[in-house]
Amino acid sequence: MKYKDLIKQMTLEEKASLMSGQNFWNTKAIERLGIPSIMLTDGPHGLRKQGGKADHLGLNKSLPATCYPTAATLANSWDKSLVYNVGQDIGKEARSEKVSVLLGPGLNIKRNPLCGRNFEYFSEDPYLTGELASEMVKGIQSNGISACPKHYAVNSQEHMRMTIDEIVDERSLREIYLTGFEKVVKKSNPYTMMSSYNKVNGEFANENQHLANDILYSEWGFDGVVVTDWGGNNDRVAGLKAHNQLEMPSTNGITDKEIVDAINAGTLDESILDEAVEQLLSLIYKVRLDDKESVQVDYEDHHNKAVEAALQSIVLLKNENSILPLKAGTNVAVIGDFAKNPRYQGAGSSLINPYKLSNSLDRLQKSSLNIAGYAQGFKRMGTKSSKLVQEATSLAKSAEVVLLFIGLDESKEAEGVDREDLTLAQNQLELVESLAKVNKNIIVVLSGGGALELPFADKVQAILHTYLSGQGGGEAVVDLLLGKSNPSGKLSETFPFSYTDVPSSTYYPGHQATSEHREGLFIGYRYYETANVPVRYPFGYGLSYTTFKYSDMVIDGLNVSFHLTNTGEIAGAEIAQLYIEKVDSVIFRSKKELKGFHKVYLEPGETKQVTLALTERDFSYYNPEIKNWEVESGNYKIQIGSSIQKIHLEETLKMDGVSPSIFLKSEYPHYALANVKQIPDLEFEKILGRKLPPKNWDRHKDLGMNDTINQAQYKNWIGKLLYRSIMFFHFYFKKIGKPLTANNVYFVINMPFRQIDRFTGGKVSKKNVERLLRWINQ
C-alpha cells in the first residue's frame, strides 16, 4: 500500500470520515495530516459547477460554461476524435474551475426510448456506446483530472430508479448492459466510476458483489474509486464491502458512524476500510489541483467548437426533391417557438448555464434567404392556441418554403421522470396538419433527445433532426439548411413507426418492485432486424447532400479493407459501418451486430481506403456456465454498409470455435424467433436460472426505510395525505409552466424514506422518519 504509513497515523473515525463527502460536492480533508479535499461536479456535456447553494437536479444556477451537444447528439456524429475533443474541452473548463472529478459521461444503454434520461446516453448499441464513451473519458482525463463514467449498471428507467430491481439474465447483462463499461475501463482507465441507484437482480448496484467485486475489480481490473450516485447509498457497510469507497453527498457523519460501529462490532474488517482509504487517497493525490494554478479558457473558441460538434451530429432524415440546401433568395416563413427559443439541452443534473446561446431565427434573418416573417406557432407544454395556429397558417400561405421548428419541450425529457409516450405534443401535430394544407414545401427542424413517432413524415419535404445540439445549435442548423456545411450525422438509435413496435414496450417501465428485461438481447435494431419489423428510420441512417460508393472489399485475417469514394459534387463525410451476421446459428442471437465504424471525410471524386480491425471477441457470445466468452464455429457474413439496412459490400469469413450447448434455439422458442413481447414466465425463468421475484409491492406489508413515499398512498390517511400533497405541487408547477421544478418535486415521490435523514444531513433525523413510518403504518 502506497499510503500505508499515512493511513497508520489516522484514527478509526478519521478513516471512516473519508468515505463520505464534506458537503454536496467535495470530499473531506484531514488538515492535520495534509490530506486535501477535492471537488466532484456534474458535466456529461458541459461543466455544471454551481456558484451558490448546491442541489442535485439543477434548480440553482451554475457558473457559465460551454454547453456542448448531449451524448445522444454526439453519438450521431460517430466521430471518435470529435468526442475526444469535446471531452478535452469540458475537462479543461473543469480544471479551470478547480474541479478534480467530472461526473460523466453517462453510458447506460437505451433499452427503451421512453427513458427520461436517454438524452444523456449514447446509443441502443453497446459497441458504439463503449467506443465513443472511451474517447470522451480519454479527452476529459487528458487534463489531469478524472472522468466518472455512470451509472453502473442497468440504470434503464427513471421511474422508481432508487428502488427498482432490474431483473436481467447474465448473458444480456454482459453482452448489452456491461459491454460499454467494460470497453471504457479497459481502453480508457477512468479513475472513478459512479454506481447507479437501482437494484440489479435483487441487490442495490452500489453493494452488488457480482457487479463490483466479481466483474469490475476482479475481471476487468478496475483500480479506481467507485462513488455512489448522489444519495445512492443503501447499506453503507455492505457498500464498502463491494468496493464502494466514496458516498456522496455529505450525510453529516451519519454513515461514517455506521462504519465505525460495524468495525467495533466485528461485522466489518478494518482492512477493508484501510483498502478503501488507500484507493481514495490514490485518487485524491492523482487529481488534486493547485489552488495557485491558473488555467485560461477561450470560451469563444469553445463556442465555435460546440458549433462544429453540432454540425457533425445533426441528422438529415428526409430530403424530397433535394429541397435542401435552400437557395439564396428563397422566400421563407419561419414558424415554431424553438426557432427563437431553442431546445438545446436536457434537464436535471446535466443542466448547463451556457456561456452564450445562438438561435436559428437570428441567424436566418441575417442570411441570404428572404425571410417572409416569423410566427410562434405553438405554446410549450402542449397548451393550445388557435390564434397562434392562425397566425402561422397565414404566414405559411405567403411563403415559398416553411421552416418549421418543432420538437419535445422541457417537460418531456428530464432526470427523474420518464416520457409518457413517443409523440410530439398534440398542439404541434395539429400545427403541422394546418400548415400542410396551405404549403407543400415544409422543412421540419426537429429538436429532442431521442426517438419519436413521426406521423407527419410523409406530409413534409424534409426533416432535419438536431437532437439536443448545445449552445451552438442555432448556428449549425442554419449552416446546414443553406449548404454551408454538409449533413453527416447518422442515427445511433432506431426510430420505430409506433411505440407499440418497441420490443420492451410490454414490460417498460417496471412500475413497482421490479423491471423485467424479458426481451433480453433484443433491444433496438437487434430486435427489428431479427424479427423483420419495419421501422421509420433504421439504426445508422442519415442523408447527405452528396453520394458515396463502396468498393473493393478485402478480408486479411481479421482486418477488413475497402474503398470509399465521394461520387457527388460537394465535399462530405460518410460513416461506414461494419456488421457481423452469423450464418445458420444454432443459438438465438441478433441477426446483425455492429462491430466497427469509421467516419471518412472526402472531397468530390476523392477515394480513400478504409481498414477496420476485428477481434475474436467481436464474434463471441457470453456463456454464463463457463463464465467466459466463446465463439460459435462456422461462417460469418462481414457486411459493410451506410446503415444497418443498406449493405453495400459483403464477404464470408469462417471462424473456429465451439459447438454451443447453451442458448439453443430449440430450447428457447420465443427467443429463437425474437418473439419477445410476450415471453412466458417459464422461458424467462429458464434463461434467468431462478424463479421470478414478485413484480408488485405487497400493499399489506408495513412500509420500511427502503420503501418510497409513492407507496404511502396505499396506507392510512397520513400516507395518502403525504403522497397527494407532493403530487399536488408536482401538477401545480407543471400547470404554471415550471417543468424543471415539477420534475424535482416528482423526484421526492420516488425517494426511499432512508434518504430523508441523509439528504437533510440529519435535520430530519432517522428517529423522526421512523416515527413517521409508524404513523403511516397504523
Side-chain angles (χ1 to χ4, degrees):
M1 295 175 70
K2 185 177 180 181
Y3 298 101
K4 184 177 181 180
D5 291 340
L6 182 58
I7 293 170
K8 280 183 176 180
Q9 297 177 57
M10 298 180 192
T11 65
L12 176 59
E13 287 73 17
E14 284 175 328
K15 288 188 291 187
S17 75
L18 291 175
M19 298 294 95
S20 63
Q22 173 181 309
N23 49 38
F24 209 83
W25 297 117
N26 294 80
T27 64
K28 290 194 184 83
I30 301 179
E31 293 182 5
R32 76 176 187 86
L33 296 176
I35 298 173
S37 167
I38 61 171
M39 171 171 265
L40 307 84
T41 199
D42 289 315
H45 60 273
L47 180 67
R48 190 180 82 97
K49 180 183 177 182
Q50 289 176 291
K53 188 177 179 181
D55 73 274
H56 182 39
L57 293 176
L59 283 171
N60 294 310
K61 205 167 187 179
S62 55
L63 300 175
T66 308
C67 180
Y68 287 90
T70 67
T73 315
L74 289 173
N76 293 333
S77 76
W78 298 60
D79 190 326
K80 296 180 187 178
S81 61
L82 174 73
V83 175
Y84 175 91
N85 290 336
V86 168
Q88 190 174 47
D89 290 346
I90 297 172
K92 184 175 183 179
E93 293 188 23
R95 183 164 189 137
S96 75
E97 293 290 346
K98 311 303 182 193
V99 172
S100 293
V101 180
L102 195 71
L103 303 176
L107 61 145
N108 292 103
I109 292 297
K110 298 182 183 183
R111 176 196 177 198
N112 184 288
L114 294 186
C115 177
R117 213 166 177 180
N118 274 352
F119 66 88
E120 282 191 58
Y121 304 144
F122 289 96
S123 176
E124 68 189 29
D125 180 75
Y127 181 90
L128 181 60
T129 292
E131 291 291 315
L132 296 179
S134 294
E135 294 304 311
M136 180 160 278
V137 169
K138 289 177 187 175
I140 292 169
Q141 294 192 166
S142 69
N143 293 277
I145 67 170
S146 175
C148 185
K150 60 185 186 181
H151 309 87
Y152 186 73
V154 203
N155 186 182
S156 301
Q157 64 180 66
E158 291 299 287
H159 176 68
M160 301 303 300
R161 63 177 178 164
M162 298 188 85
T163 56
I164 199 76
D165 188 1
E166 304 279 2
I167 308 298
V168 57
D169 69 277
E170 187 72 10
R171 182 183 175 195
S172 300
L173 178 69
R174 296 297 194 126
E175 293 186 25
I176 302 295
Y177 297 101
L178 298 188
T179 291
F181 288 100
E182 181 181 3
K183 275 184 174 289
V184 166
V185 168
K186 291 181 175 179
K187 295 186 71 170
S188 305
N189 187 31
Y191 306 149
T192 61
M193 180 83 75
M194 184 188 290
S195 58
S196 56
Y197 287 123
N198 52 279
K199 294 178 183 177
V200 180
N201 294 326
E203 286 187 287
F204 282 99
N206 80 301
E207 56 195 55
N208 193 301
Q209 293 285 331
H210 183 52
L211 284 177
N213 290 339
D214 296 345
I215 299 175
L216 180 62
Y217 280 92
S218 298
E219 187 178 321
W220 297 348
F222 179 69
D223 62 357
V225 166
V226 173
V227 57
T228 63
D229 202 341
W230 264 232
N233 172 60
N234 170 49
D235 182 321
R236 188 66 195 99
V237 174
L240 203 61
K241 290 177 179 178
H243 276 93
N244 169 215
Q245 295 90 356
L246 180 60
E247 177 191 10
M248 292 295 289
S250 168
T251 63
N252 282 355
I254 293 171
T255 55
D256 302 344
K257 185 175 183 300
E258 292 174 5
I259 294 171
V260 172
D261 289 347
I263 290 173
N264 288 333
T267 57
L268 175 66
D269 195 308
E270 192 168 352
S271 65
I272 293 176
L273 175 61
D274 289 348
E275 181 186 356
V277 173
E278 168 77 19
Q279 287 169 303
L280 183 64
L281 291 176
S282 295
L283 171 69
I284 289 171
Y285 287 110
K286 186 181 295 182
V287 300
R288 65 174 174 169
L289 300 174
D290 186 348
D291 289 338
K292 297 179 181 178
E293 178 191 68
S294 178
V295 175
Q296 300 301 314
V297 175
D298 185 340
Y299 284 98
E300 280 298 323
D301 177 60
H302 281 201
H303 175 76
N304 292 334
K305 289 179 178 178
V307 173
E308 180 62 24
L311 282 169
Q312 299 300 327
S313 305
I314 292 172
V315 186
L316 181 61
L317 295 176
K318 184 176 182 181
N319 192 20
E320 287 294 307
N321 304 313
S322 298
I323 191 171
L324 291 175
L326 292 170
K327 296 178 176 61
T330 302
N331 187 30
V332 173
V334 182
I335 297 174
D337 189 39
F338 292 164
K340 187 175 183 179
N341 303 297
R343 174 87 204 291
Y344 61 97
Q345 66 172 328
S349 62
S350 66
L351 193 68
I352 310 302
N353 177 17
Y355 160 74
K356 67 188 294 187
L357 179 62
S358 65
N359 70 70
S360 294
L361 180 60
D362 288 346
R363 303 288 293 187
L364 286 166
Q365 289 172 335
K366 298 173 184 177
S367 74
S368 60
L369 299 174
N370 177 25
I371 303 301
Y374 164 72
Q376 181 180 337
F378 64 90
K379 291 184 178 181
R380 276 164 147 89
M381 317 309 165
T383 303
K384 293 190 177 183
S385 170
S386 57
K387 180 184 177 182
L388 291 181
V389 174
Q390 290 170 3
E391 291 174 352
T393 305
S394 177
L395 178 61
K397 289 179 182 177
S398 68
E400 181 182 351
V401 171
V402 172
L403 280 176
L404 177 59
F405 290 76
I406 57 178
L408 297 174
D409 61 42
E410 292 81 357
S411 67
K412 291 283 189 177
E413 297 174 294
E415 178 179 358
V417 292
D418 292 315
R419 289 164 62 182
E420 296 177 359
D421 51 53
L422 277 190
T423 64
L424 289 175
Q426 188 61 33
N427 63 340
Q428 293 187 40
L429 295 175
E430 291 173 0
L431 174 64
V432 178
E433 291 288 334
S434 297
L435 297 178
K437 292 175 182 177
V438 300
N439 194 313
K440 301 302 179 185
N441 294 320
I442 297 176
I443 297 169
V444 169
V445 180
L446 196 62
S447 298
L452 283 164
E453 292 177 8
L454 301 174
F456 54 81
D458 296 332
K459 299 179 182 180
V460 301
Q461 290 291 297
I463 302 175
L464 188 70
H465 200 340
T466 71
Y467 268 65
L468 298 176
S469 51
Q471 68 179 49
E475 294 166 58
V477 165
V478 175
D479 282 356
L480 291 168
L481 292 173
L482 298 178
K484 293 181 179 179
S485 295
N486 191 349
S488 63
K490 296 202 175 192
L491 294 176
S492 60
E493 61 187 319
T494 308
F495 276 47
F497 279 105
S498 169
Y499 180 66
T500 56
D501 295 331
V502 174
S504 58
S505 59
T506 51
Y507 315 121
Y508 188 93
H511 288 288
Q512 295 187 10
T514 70
S515 178
E516 297 177 348
H517 293 236
R518 293 196 185 215
E519 73 281 0
L521 303 169
F522 296 101
I523 66 168
Y525 74 78
R526 282 169 163 76
Y527 167 72
Y528 300 113
E529 287 295 306
T530 310
N532 295 313
V533 176
V535 298
R536 174 74 71 180
Y537 298 114
F539 180 81
Y541 169 85
L543 302 176
S544 171
Y545 295 153
T546 190
T547 54
F548 301 94
K549 178 184 176 183
Y550 292 74
S551 61
D552 306 322
M553 180 177 179
V554 175
I555 299 178
D556 180 11
L558 291 179
N559 293 320
V560 181
S561 300
F562 56 93
H563 287 118
L564 189 59
T565 304
N566 183 344
T567 54
E569 298 179 354
I570 63 173
E574 171 69 330
I575 299 164
Q577 302 156 42
L578 187 157
Y579 296 93
I580 290 178
E581 178 179 342
K582 176 68 176 73
V583 179
D584 298 326
S585 178
V586 299
I587 65 172
F588 69 82
R589 64 196 303 165
S590 171
K591 182 180 180 181
K592 297 178 183 178
E593 293 181 1
L594 178 74
K595 295 300 178 184
F597 62 90
H598 189 59
K599 191 165 190 175
V600 186
Y601 298 83
L602 295 165
E603 294 294 325
E606 184 181 10
T607 298
K608 287 183 180 178
Q609 179 172 295
V610 180
T611 300
L612 300 172
L614 294 169
T615 67
E616 186 176 294
R617 171 69 179 270
D618 294 326
F619 298 85
S620 303
Y621 65 94
Y622 187 80
N623 184 343
E625 289 185 351
I626 64 171
K627 298 182 180 180
N628 209 341
W629 299 81
E630 60 186 16
V631 177
E632 180 184 5
S633 62
N635 292 326
Y636 291 79
K637 293 179 181 178
I638 310 300
Q639 303 170 336
I640 304 297
S642 50
S643 78
I644 196 166
Q645 289 188 0
K646 197 164 186 179
I647 302 301
H648 302 280
L649 304 171
E650 181 178 283
E651 295 287 345
T652 299
L653 178 64
K654 186 174 182 179
M655 293 291 293
D656 293 328
V658 302
S659 296
S661 59
I662 190 172
F663 305 125
L664 300 178
K665 289 181 178 179
S666 59
E667 297 179 5
Y668 296 91
H670 289 78
Y671 289 109
L673 298 174
N675 181 18
V676 296
K677 288 188 181 179
Q678 298 296 334
I679 295 289
D681 287 357
L682 288 177
E683 194 166 342
F684 189 43
E685 287 178 342
K686 183 176 180 180
I687 199 171
L688 276 175
R690 62 185 183 279
K691 287 286 185 181
L692 284 167
K695 66 176 66 175
N696 294 320
W697 300 315
D698 182 351
R699 298 184 185 182
H700 301 291
K701 186 179 178 182
D702 283 352
L703 296 184
M705 297 296 279
N706 272 341
D707 294 312
T708 65
I709 295 170
N710 199 332
Q711 293 167 256
Q713 65 180 300
Y714 303 116
K715 295 299 178 180
N716 63 15
W717 68 271
I718 299 174
K720 288 181 172 64
L721 179 63
L722 177 63
Y723 171 79
R724 289 171 183 171
S725 298
I726 295 173
M727 288 304 293
F728 168 79
F729 285 108
H730 167 67
F731 288 117
Y732 170 75
F733 286 120
K734 206 170 182 179
K735 188 72 174 177
I736 65 172
K738 294 187 175 181
L740 301 185
T741 305
N743 290 338
N744 278 277
V745 172
Y746 192 77
F747 170 81
V748 176
I749 282 288
N750 291 326
M751 188 170 71
F753 287 99
R754 70 169 188 265
Q755 291 301 343
I756 296 176
D757 71 322
R758 296 171 187 177
F759 261 156
T760 62
K763 291 178 182 177
V764 179
S765 69
K766 184 177 179 180
K767 287 184 177 180
N768 286 333
V769 176
E770 290 171 340
R771 184 180 296 115
L772 173 63
L773 283 170
R774 285 196 297 272
W775 292 344
I776 291 173
N777 288 324
Q778 285 178 357

